[in-house]
Amino acid sequence: MNLTPLKAFELVKYYSGAIPSYELVRDFLNLGASEFLIQSEYLKNSFHTDSVAGKRYYTLPDSCYKIIDVEFNDVTLPRFIGDVGIDDDELAASGGNSLATPTASSNDRYWYTKNGRLGIIEKATNAVTRDGKTTNVQSCSVSGSKNIRIYQVSKGTPLADTDSQTSSTVAWFDEIPSEYQLAPVYRAVAEIYMMPNTVNTDMYDNFTDKFRSIVSDAKKAAKMQYRSSGMIKPCSF
């Protein structure tokens, strides 16, 4: 079933027996789509950003639920595990707290996350000294255009006021396969059955179970995306 926003709205009205506003249903549908994509981890894509010399942290878009991999100049970076020792946080209250831009470049780079941001660091011997402590990592030393590629599990694109109600290629309607598009509908219906004027816990549980069933199927399909073909060796029994 290829849904459009209008079809989804009509389905929510049909299953709930209520006549909520389009804006409320849209918000519930967006909630359902986001929860579906988070729980199933079905939607995986990538985006680019610019590197800036001396900048350690990069803001992630609201759609990013989880980072899978990071590439810098087309090279896959390993994830940094451990303590960086001396941080270079541009969000610090003191304007003089940021470290100086590295003068020596290194291509031994790593990525990590902190407070919902992406951190890019480079290994360098005795790179930074502060308060009598020394660390062997520094912030990125290279500026470039769209040279950082971030592979992510996405929460999808929410339906907006300006999106067409009759198009099946807007927002998450174009990101969730047709066989799973009823999941946000069921989630929206469940929410309506928890509203004070339409509360019905049995119906809430019923549609929540329908939602979870589709999530389970999508989660299995999402895991298959990690598999790749290999060599088949002959066996004798």
Side-chain angles (χ1 to χ4, degrees):
M1 178 183 294
N2 287 316
L3 290 181
T4 65
L6 183 59
K7 288 181 181 178
F9 177 73
E10 293 298 328
L11 282 172
V12 171
K13 288 200 303 180
Y14 174 78
Y15 285 127
S16 66
I19 310 179
S21 67
Y22 177 80
E23 289 75 16
L24 180 62
V25 174
R26 182 199 63 213
D27 290 345
F28 283 161
L29 287 169
N30 283 338
L31 171 67
S34 177
E35 288 188 0
F36 167 80
L37 291 171
I38 287 174
Q39 294 179 29
S40 67
E41 297 192 6
Y42 189 88
L43 181 60
K44 302 177 182 71
N45 51 30
S46 65
F47 61 93
H48 292 83
T49 190
D50 301 339
S51 70
V52 179
K55 182 176 181 178
R56 179 165 301 189
Y57 293 106
Y58 298 83
T59 301
L60 298 170
D62 292 338
S63 62
C64 183
Y65 169 62
K66 180 191 296 184
I67 295 178
I68 302 172
D69 278 314
V70 177
E71 291 180 355
F72 194 101
N73 289 338
D74 298 324
V75 176
T76 301
L77 304 184
R79 184 166 188 171
F80 183 80
I81 305 297
D83 187 359
V84 296
I86 299 173
D87 207 354
D88 186 11
D89 197 336
E90 293 84 0
L91 295 182
S94 173
N97 190 59
S98 295
L99 302 177
T101 301
T103 56
S105 178
S106 169
N107 61 3
D108 191 4
R109 300 185 179 93
Y110 301 81
W111 70 273
Y112 65 100
T113 57
K114 180 181 179 182
N115 297 333
R117 299 167 295 163
L118 170 68
I120 302 288
I121 55 174
E122 300 175 351
K123 278 291 190 74
T125 303
N126 296 332
V128 179
T129 299
R130 175 165 289 187
D131 196 26
K133 308 296 182 182
T134 300
T135 179
N136 291 327
V137 300
Q138 64 184 20
S139 297
C140 177
S141 61
V142 176
S143 293
S145 176
K146 307 297 183 184
N147 60 329
I148 300 176
R149 186 174 186 179
I150 302 163
Y151 294 85
Q152 66 169 350
V153 174
S154 174
K155 294 184 287 187
T157 306
L159 184 66
D161 291 336
T162 55
D163 288 331
S164 169
Q165 296 186 22
T166 58
S167 173
S168 61
T169 59
V170 294
W172 56 264
F173 291 88
D174 193 40
E175 298 169 333
I176 298 178
S178 59
E179 61 264 35
Y180 306 132
Q181 287 183 354
L182 282 177
V185 172
Y186 292 151
R187 186 68 180 87
V189 174
E191 284 298 310
I192 291 175
Y193 278 120
M194 289 303 290
M195 295 174 62
N197 58 331
T198 54
V199 63
N200 186 322
T201 55
D202 288 338
M203 294 300 287
Y204 171 84
D205 291 341
N206 179 38
F207 281 96
T208 298
D209 287 343
K210 290 177 179 290
F211 169 78
R212 290 172 177 168
S213 177
I214 298 178
V215 169
S216 178
D217 291 341
K219 187 180 295 185
K220 295 174 185 176
K223 289 181 179 179
M224 293 292 291
Q225 296 178 13
Y226 288 107
R227 299 182 182 179
S228 59
S229 60
M231 180 181 297
I232 300 176
K233 295 183 178 180
C235 299
S236 59
F237 297 93

